[in-house]
């Protein structure tokens, strides 16, 4: 007999079937033993009756959880009262005719019938093969498969060609650290694992591939972060020739609209096509370049209204006064307000001023500094209503934005304004091409391969900090989901762009000589983007932990606890590649 | 106006269109200039008439090959005589109304209108972005995309789930050298790039994933070989729980039958389901464990017929006498025979004996050693016919098989018996579990994770060299296409299998501890296979060079000439990972 899956039994009522899978639960009622039998398709109930077959009953009584069994039996309808509405196979069960043990199991170190989030992650990762048997994780694996397949089919139907780009290559300009792979054949030299297929996808455009895509493995040696998987991750990567901004944006918008329901049919896209927000507006209105616009609560600039209009020195001496009207929050408790104040201080603010809006004016908090006329002006300027609370931050513009942006997100949570079933996408446009980096030096704001607005002319004649980039981010519900740009395909403009941040021509040619040369042979205008697959999966599946999007993730410290990687190697393996451990180097072995 | 592709113009006769692409060819007839315009979809003819627009004509006259242009114009039907039947768009052309230069191009270092095989490969790889503009290479990229998509959809429809397995991991037992990736966070330790997802796919079975697949990147640090891409390659990788040999074989057979026509509709599968040949029979009949069975010419054992029946000492002293009847080859010239003799010697034979079959007996060559009676016995035993040639090798069995197998393939080529449009698949079964390796030691014949036939009992009680493995190869037209097995899922049997070749229990646990432990927690019986995607692409597309199946291959010396990888790195990058170059190591830098 051909083995079938549990859920396929629904089509086999009255027939004899063969099942192979795991013991998920056992209920021993003496004469009758019930087994919750589990396979990849789900759970089905097996009934073993000592009256029917004493031998099977003996075997069933000996079973342990997670043992591997084979069941031959007849699919029967359950009686009305025995129906289990919580189980897809709840209307049927298997009357066991033959029960065979295929393999035993030691006792699992943790229960498998929870969602696992209550457990120590290290233990889960060490026994990942058990952890993955949970319905939640099996569902993630199935969803990731279904979603990437839907993406690939969409791409194909829309004229994109998947090309696999090299995994042993040279450095790319993504700004993270490279993973090195020492060469054995050419000792003393190293391959680099690609941070992204950036250069290759641009080379593919020069090769005449009209529209490229790839579910591309990317490698970045960064210190672990909560929202990024350590080491390796995947992105939905595209590039197209002869792009316009509308074609570039349209590809992402249509892709997402046409595919997300495969795994998240209950969610709704709030606005289509996706709204476009200028970077500066995003910072000023939401205090973030990845604003969550599922709710309003926009930051307001009240500098002109308040500054030097009262005796309140903190406000008078500040560069900017910004505020946020929290609707119907006048009744916030002292504890709630203190919590928000602490959050503001965490983000670098000196404090968080507040006041309540009443029928007659402002009350409590900073209201005492404002005369009735000023109070009315503030209410009018901010469109605040009686019963609202207003929060103020007076500081430098960037800091005020950042702090109030953070308070805004917290209010969004507090007021339940962040509905996970609403998908609010935004394009952020008009990023600065250059910025001052943490070391106080002029540096690229984003991807150095983007085209600066105004091209060579702008690079030669404008203040670098004034130049905008043809660079775009796509955000979803407050997360950066994708990044893209129209590229710089002019070799001399590329050299110039690097020169401005201090790279000489020779350095550019040494690092990106292949691409620089290629630009001389009929390079078409081109552009593209990359969507973080993991982050999209997290948001579509409401999974807070990015590691659970991977079947076998590294832990938050970049270690594979199941396979014990990374680990020391034999000296012979190092000899093969002409390397040795640096003596006296701090030994950080796990 | 929205830009469209050249081939889409077929649906736009009489309409105005916008095209963007490359100048593939120019024919200047004075008043009239014809441009072969090329984009990803193919070529279309653009007509620029000085009478219509002098400005466009001037631009057209200035164009160079491979320049990037934009063309606005009307799609018109060509006159009867001007139709080009060799071009898919040969019945139409574009009457140019506006011609714009989007980018210039330097002169290509090689022509792009050939198939490129006549060129020095190094030059092609250095300018790969030009090389890829050839129709042949564009076709390979498109075919690879279409084929992998067809595979993925087939897998989905047949219950397989694609799971991406880790790329930064630990060693796997594929028998090649590992690529190392030094860890920065845990200095002194190393990740390993996976040689195959072998352990992870087995862990997925233990995780309850019923049928897994992946188009999986694999990394092996092997010395370059003609039929294998250096460094990294992809395989179509599957694993299934509760397998039977028929289900395992059926998955490959149905997958290939249902998908190959996507890119090779002109080819035919010779036998379905694929024949199964025992390893010993393959060696004895075809002298190879990857026999090309598109033609017969089977090796025959004539030891009993000839040995000690004549005065020919070479034959009398040999362990085995094997022969091959080449039909209708009695007229082979001396040169042809000498060529075959040299091939035989290359493979280690002392010589290649031959004789012709005539109406009355044998003639020339070794015939002189055989009396008429023996001649008739040989003719009868081999079913040779008048006009045939018989080739003999007398030596040890293995060598005689190997040499005659090689001669057989050469005869297949000479006699045009290897039709590339016939796909002859075979399963090779019954491989020995152990063998004597090149160093004279007992070693695994193939995948050590395969189940030995007879299990623990066989390992404990049989001569290791007599044990067969549940290991299978799939061959296509004389190439090894895939390898698979029913796995050993019993932890103690696994330890025992390794002990026999000299690994202690501790060594096994150190190397494969994760999998060993997992086997204790309800591991289902499981098995799978992996098809070499590149080799399948080569055979379906009739491409002799495996590197051309890759968009950006490493060259035959493992070097990326376009991106200059591998290359030296800064000392700082080595400091980051706590390594230094070994002093006095032979410097093999390129």
């Amino acid at each position: 007999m051909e083995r079938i899956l549990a859920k396929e039994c629904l089509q086999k009522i009255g027939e004899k079937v063969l099942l192979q899978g795991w013991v998920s639960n056992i209920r021993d009622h003496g004469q009758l033993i019930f087994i919750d039998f589990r396979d990849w398709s789900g759970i089905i109930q097996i009934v073993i009756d000592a009256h029917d077959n004493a031998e099977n009953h003996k075997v069933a009584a000996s079973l342990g959880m997670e043992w591997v069994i084979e069941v031959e039996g007849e699919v029967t309808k359950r009686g009305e009262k025995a129906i289990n509405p919580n189980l897809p196979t709840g209307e049927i069960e298997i009357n066991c005719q033959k029960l065979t043990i295929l393999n035993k199991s030691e006792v699992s170190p943790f229960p498998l019938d929870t969602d696992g989030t209550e457990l120590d992650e290290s233990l889960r990762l060490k026994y990942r093969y058990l952890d993955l048997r949970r319905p939640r994780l099996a569902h993630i694996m199935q969803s990731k498969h279904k979603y990437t397949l839907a993406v690939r089919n969409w791409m194909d139907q829309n004229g994109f060609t998947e090309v696999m780009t090299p995994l042993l290559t040279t450095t790319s300009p993504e700004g993270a650290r490279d993973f090195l792979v020492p060469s054995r054949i050419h000792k003393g030299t190293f391959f680099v694992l690609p941070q992204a297929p950036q250069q290759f996808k641009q080379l593919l455009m020069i090769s005449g591939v009209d529209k490229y895509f790839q579910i591309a493995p990317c490698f970045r040696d960064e210190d672990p972060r909560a929202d990024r998987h350590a080491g390796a991750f995947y992105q939905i990567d595209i590039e197209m020739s002869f792009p316009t901004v509308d074609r570039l944006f349209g590809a992402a918008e249509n892709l997402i609209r046409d595919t997300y329901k495969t795994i998240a049919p209950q969610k709704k896209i709030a606005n289509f096509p996706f709204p476009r927000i200028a970077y500066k507006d995003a910072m000023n209105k939401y205090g973030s370049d990845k604003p969550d616009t599922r709710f309003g609560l926009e930051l307001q600039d009240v500098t002109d209204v308040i500054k030097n209009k009262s005796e309140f020195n903190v406000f008078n001496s500040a560069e900017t006064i910004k505020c946020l009207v929290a609707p119907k929050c006048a009744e916030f408790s002292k504890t709630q307000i203190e919590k928000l104040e602490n959050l503001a201080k965490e983000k670098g603010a000196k404090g968080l001023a507040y006041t309540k809006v009443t029928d007659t004016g402002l009350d409590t908090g900073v209201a005492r500094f404002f005369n009735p006329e000023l109070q009315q002006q503030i209410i009018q300027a901010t469109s605040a209503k009686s019963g609202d609370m207003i929060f103020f931050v007076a500081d430098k513009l960037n800091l005020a934005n950042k702090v109030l942006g953070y308070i805004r997100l917290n209010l969004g949570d507090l007021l339940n304004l962040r509905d996970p079933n609403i998908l609010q996408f935004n394009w952020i446009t008009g990023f600065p091409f250059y910025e001052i980096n943490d070391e106080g030096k002029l540096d690229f704001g984003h991807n150095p391969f983007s085209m600066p607005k105004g091209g060579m002319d702008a690079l030669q004649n404008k203040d670098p900090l004034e130049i905008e980039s043809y660079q775009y981010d796509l955000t979803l519900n407050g997360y950066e989901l994708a990044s893209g740009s129209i590229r710089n395909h002019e070799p001399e403009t590329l050299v110039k762009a690097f020169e401005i941040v201090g790279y000489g021509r020779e350095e550019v040619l040494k690092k990106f000589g292949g691409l620089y040369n290629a630009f001389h042979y009929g390079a078409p205008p081109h552009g593209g983007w990359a969507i973080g697959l993991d982050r999209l999966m997290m948001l579509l599946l409401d999974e807070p932990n990015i590691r659970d999007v991977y079947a076998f993730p590294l832990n938050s410290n970049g270690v594979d606890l199941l396979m014990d990687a990374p680990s020391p190697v034999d000296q012979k393996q190092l000899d093969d590649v002409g390397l040795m451990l640096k003596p006296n180097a701090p030994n950080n072995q796990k």
Side-chain angles (χ1 to χ4, degrees), chain A:
Chain A
M1 202 174 357
E2 273 278 299
R3 170 234 184 186
I4 66 168
L5 291 173
K7 75 167 180 202
E8 293 168 339
C9 292
L10 287 165
Q11 276 82 51
K12 302 272 180 182
I13 294 168
E15 292 179 44
K16 205 175 158 181
V17 297
L18 178 70
L19 299 174
Q20 293 168 320
W22 287 263
V23 175
S24 192
N25 207 356
I26 313 170
R27 289 180 301 284
D28 190 338
H29 293 193
Q31 189 68 28
L32 284 174
I33 296 178
F34 296 93
I35 299 172
D36 283 348
F37 167 96
R38 189 189 67 238
D39 64 23
W40 184 236
S41 74
I43 282 178
I44 195 167
Q45 178 164 283
I46 312 287
V47 186
I48 295 114
D49 189 334
H51 277 309
D52 292 346
N53 186 320
E55 185 54 35
N56 286 336
H57 189 270
K58 216 171 114 189
V59 173
S62 76
L63 291 176
M65 299 282 279
E66 299 301 322
W67 288 27
V68 185
I69 55 172
E70 178 175 285
V71 178
E72 262 182 71
E74 193 185 309
V75 185
T76 55
K77 279 201 143 180
R78 296 199 201 183
E80 201 68 49
K81 283 183 189 163
I83 285 174
N84 179 351
N86 299 319
L87 208 61
T89 61
E91 298 197 355
I92 56 171
E93 60 192 10
I94 307 289
N95 257 312
C96 179
Q97 290 157 350
K98 190 166 171 216
L99 178 64
T100 314
I101 294 168
L102 297 180
N103 207 352
K104 299 184 178 183
S105 173
E106 291 188 12
V107 175
S108 170
F110 43 66
L112 299 180
D113 56 358
T114 66
D115 76 359
T117 50
E118 77 287 2
L119 295 168
D120 172 39
E121 196 186 24
S122 301
L123 191 66
R124 285 177 52 209
L125 292 180
K126 189 171 172 200
Y127 293 90
R128 187 63 162 180
Y129 43 89
L130 292 173
D131 199 38
L132 288 173
R133 291 183 192 171
R134 291 175 202 291
R136 178 174 72 92
L137 293 179
H139 176 70
I140 295 176
M141 279 193 281
Q142 285 170 332
S143 300
K144 197 168 175 182
H145 158 67
K146 283 198 190 115
Y147 189 72
T148 54
L149 186 65
V151 167
R152 284 188 158 103
N153 280 311
W154 187 94
M155 290 286 176
D156 180 64
Q157 283 149 23
N158 286 274
F160 288 84
T161 304
E162 185 161 31
V163 181
M164 300 170 203
T165 53
L167 296 174
L168 295 173
T169 180
T170 183
T171 193
S172 59
E174 302 296 320
R177 258 192 218 88
D178 290 323
F179 280 110
L180 300 178
V181 182
S183 167
R184 176 181 56 85
I185 298 176
H186 306 284
K187 287 184 188 47
T189 66
F190 297 80
F191 289 104
V192 165
L193 298 177
Q195 293 188 32
Q198 182 68 32
Q199 292 192 76
F200 288 110
K201 69 179 181 173
Q202 295 196 235
L203 286 166
L204 284 172
M205 296 302 101
I206 302 168
S207 307
V209 178
D210 200 58
K211 299 194 234 171
Y212 143 93
F213 88 99
Q214 188 180 194
I215 312 271
C218 302
F219 300 84
R220 299 188 192 173
D221 185 9
E222 293 175 309
D223 294 322
R225 260 168 47 178
D227 63 345
R228 184 173 283 169
H229 181 241
F233 61 95
Y234 283 81
Q235 63 190 32
I236 304 170
D237 194 48
I238 78 152
E239 194 79 5
M240 58 211 296
S241 291
F242 310 106
T244 62
V245 173
D246 286 345
R247 279 182 73 220
L248 210 53
F249 285 12
E253 289 162 352
N254 296 333
L255 167 71
I256 289 169
R257 179 197 58 197
D258 297 344
T259 56
Y260 83 91
K261 286 192 176 163
T262 317
I263 59 166
Q266 79 285 8
K267 300 200 185 237
K268 270 190 74 168
I269 292 178
N271 297 92
F272 194 91
F274 305 158
R276 302 178 189 187
I277 304 178
Y279 169 74
K280 277 187 185 155
D281 291 342
M283 296 309 292
N284 283 324
K285 284 188 187 168
Y286 308 104
S288 169
D289 60 0
K290 38 182 192 267
D292 185 347
T293 59
R294 279 175 295 182
F295 60 101
L297 295 194
E298 291 182 13
L299 318 192
Q300 305 192 47
D301 192 321
V302 287
T303 316
D304 292 346
V305 182
I306 303 179
K307 190 171 174 178
N308 296 328
K309 304 287 166 62
S310 77
E311 301 299 311
F312 189 31
N313 276 334
V314 173
F315 277 21
N316 293 341
S317 61
E319 177 187 299
T320 312
I321 308 165
K322 295 205 68 162
C323 75
L324 181 57
V325 177
K328 298 177 192 164
C329 295
E331 297 313 313
F332 265 10
S333 68
K334 219 172 175 125
T335 322
Q336 279 177 305
I337 294 172
E338 265 171 22
K339 218 169 151 185
L340 292 170
E341 274 183 317
N342 288 336
L343 291 175
K345 285 177 184 166
E346 260 176 39
K347 289 283 156 185
K350 288 185 280 293
L352 181 69
Y354 66 93
T355 187
K356 296 173 184 177
V357 185
T358 67
D359 289 338
T360 56
L362 300 178
D363 185 32
T364 71
V366 290
R368 67 181 181 280
F369 296 111
F370 307 147
N371 64 35
E373 193 191 349
L374 182 54
Q375 291 185 7
Q376 288 304 329
Q377 284 164 350
I378 292 171
I379 290 170
Q380 211 180 341
T382 59
S383 304
K385 290 188 179 54
S386 176
D388 292 351
M389 177 84 88
I390 308 181
F391 292 99
F392 299 90
V393 172
D395 212 308
K396 294 202 165 153
L397 177 62
N398 285 351
L399 192 80
N401 282 341
K402 185 170 113 183
V403 171
L404 275 181
Y406 189 60
I407 297 297
R408 177 180 173 274
L409 288 182
N410 274 279
L411 284 171
D413 285 332
L414 272 174
L415 304 176
N416 248 327
L417 301 173
R418 309 180 77 182
D419 180 350
N421 284 332
I422 301 293
L423 300 173
Q424 177 73 60
F425 294 92
N426 293 300
W427 292 106
I428 311 299
T429 69
F431 282 98
F433 191 74
Y434 294 109
E435 63 177 20
I436 303 293
N437 69 15
D438 295 341
E439 295 158 19
K441 284 189 192 152
L442 192 69
D443 202 352
F444 291 108
H446 286 76
N447 189 332
F449 286 2
S450 303
M451 183 70 100
K453 281 190 185 165
M456 182 63 109
D457 182 53
L459 293 180
Q460 284 171 333
N461 301 313
K462 279 183 92 165
D463 173 358
L465 291 172
E466 294 294 310
I467 301 171
E468 285 189 358
S469 165
Y470 282 106
Q471 157 91 32
Y472 315 101
D473 278 0
L474 177 61
T475 67
L476 168 55
N477 292 359
Y479 289 88
E480 182 191 322
L481 187 67
S483 202
S485 68
I486 306 272
R487 317 299 179 191
N488 181 350
H489 68 289
E490 299 167 2
E492 292 315 307
T493 312
L494 186 73
V495 170
K496 181 74 188 165
F498 274 92
E499 276 176 359
I500 288 177
V501 296
Y503 286 82
R505 172 180 293 266
E506 276 187 23
E507 218 169 334
V508 175
L509 293 204
K510 196 183 151 210
K511 269 196 163 169
F512 312 119
L515 190 58
Y516 173 88
N517 288 334
F519 279 163
H520 292 83
Y521 290 90
H526 57 282
W529 44 252
I531 294 176
L533 176 62
D534 312 327
R535 208 164 291 167
L536 182 56
M537 294 299 302
M538 281 177 76
L539 293 167
L540 291 180
L541 296 174
D542 301 319
E543 282 295 333
N545 181 346
I546 200 161
R547 287 182 289 283
D548 277 344
V549 173
Y550 287 82
F552 299 103
L554 299 181
N555 76 358
S556 59
N557 196 21
V559 169
D560 180 341
L561 295 170
L562 168 56
M563 303 303 270
D564 191 24
S567 44
V569 296
D570 300 340
Q571 183 57 44
K572 185 181 172 314
Q573 280 180 279
L574 292 180
D575 289 346
D576 278 349
V577 291
L579 289 176
M580 52 190 285
L581 298 185
K582 218 176 152 188
N584 307 321
N587 187 336
N588 293 338
Q589 293 193 12
K590 295 161 297 169

